[in-house]
Amino acid sequence: MTGDARITTAEQAANDPLVLAFGRLQGAANRLEYILGRELEKEFGISHVVFEVLLILSRAQGAGLSMGAIAQERVLTTGGVTRLVDRMVAAGLVSREENPEDRRGRLVRLTPLGEETAVRAARLHARNVQRYLLDPLPEEHRERFARDLRTVSVTASEALPRLH
C-alpha cells in the first residue's frame, strides 16, 4: 500500500491502492445492499434499513430504544429515524411507548409482528449473505474475513462523533 505523499497527480489518486481498496469496499457494500435489500423488499415488503432497525431493536432484548440510540446505531439524524419509525409503526412492526426514565422521551419496541418479521427476514438475509458475500471467498478465508469486517466496523464506530 502507499501513503498520501506519493499521490501527486489525479491519475495517481485514481490508482492509489488505498483509494482503490476503499472504493472496492464501498462499491461492494452498495451492490450487496441493493441485491440483499431487493430480496427483503420482494419477500417481506421491508427495506434494508427497516430490517436493520428491526435487528437493532432485537439486540435491545425487549427493553426498547430511544430515537437517539437508533439514530446513533444507523448513523442517521433523529428526524430521519422518527420518519422511519413512523412508517414502521404504521406497518405494525414497532410500537412507541413511554420511557419510564425520561417522561419526555419514548422508547421504540418490536411488536410480535416485528419480531416475527425480523426472524423470517434474517433467515433469508443470512442465506443471501452466505451466497453473495462469503461463498465467493476461499473457504479458509471466510471466518477471518468476517472477524476483520467486525474490527473495521468497530473502529469506524468508535471514530464517529456522537449524534444529537
Side-chain angles (χ1 to χ4, degrees):
M1 299 283 169
T2 66
D4 61 351
R6 296 185 59 183
I7 301 172
T8 59
T9 68
E11 183 180 353
Q12 288 171 336
N15 293 306
D16 180 80
L18 293 174
V19 172
L20 285 170
F22 184 76
R24 288 180 184 125
L25 173 66
Q26 189 170 36
N30 291 342
R31 288 185 280 281
L32 287 169
E33 183 167 19
Y34 175 81
I35 292 165
L36 277 56
R38 187 180 63 200
E39 292 294 316
L40 291 169
E41 184 81 41
K42 185 171 68 175
E43 188 73 26
F44 301 102
I46 61 172
S47 67
H48 187 255
V49 72
V50 166
F51 175 63
E52 288 292 329
V53 171
L54 291 175
L55 295 178
I56 290 165
L57 292 171
S58 297
R59 289 182 195 108
Q61 300 176 344
L65 292 174
S66 68
M67 295 292 192
I70 296 168
Q72 186 69 38
E73 282 291 314
R74 283 295 307 150
V75 192
L76 296 170
T77 65
T78 52
V81 169
T82 298
R83 289 186 295 279
L84 177 63
V85 168
D86 286 345
R87 292 193 308 270
M88 294 175 74
V89 167
L93 298 171
V94 299
S95 64
R96 279 195 190 93
E97 300 173 16
E98 290 190 24
N99 184 345
E101 296 175 12
D102 178 3
R103 292 190 333 215
R104 295 174 298 145
R106 311 276 281 168
L107 294 175
V108 180
R109 290 192 171 97
L110 290 177
T111 63
L113 177 61
E115 184 163 344
E116 177 189 338
T117 301
V119 168
R120 293 177 58 227
R123 290 177 183 149
L124 172 69
H125 194 66
R127 286 192 304 270
N128 284 330
V129 167
Q130 182 70 45
R131 177 180 177 195
Y132 293 107
L133 180 65
L134 297 177
D135 285 351
L137 301 174
E139 190 170 344
E140 63 273 14
H141 295 186
R142 294 173 188 168
E143 197 172 307
R144 174 65 187 254
F145 178 71
R147 282 195 316 270
D148 289 346
L149 281 177
R150 183 182 188 290
T151 299
V152 170
S153 180
V154 167
T155 301
S157 179
E158 290 169 352
L160 286 175
R162 297 301 298 173
L163 299 177
H164 300 287

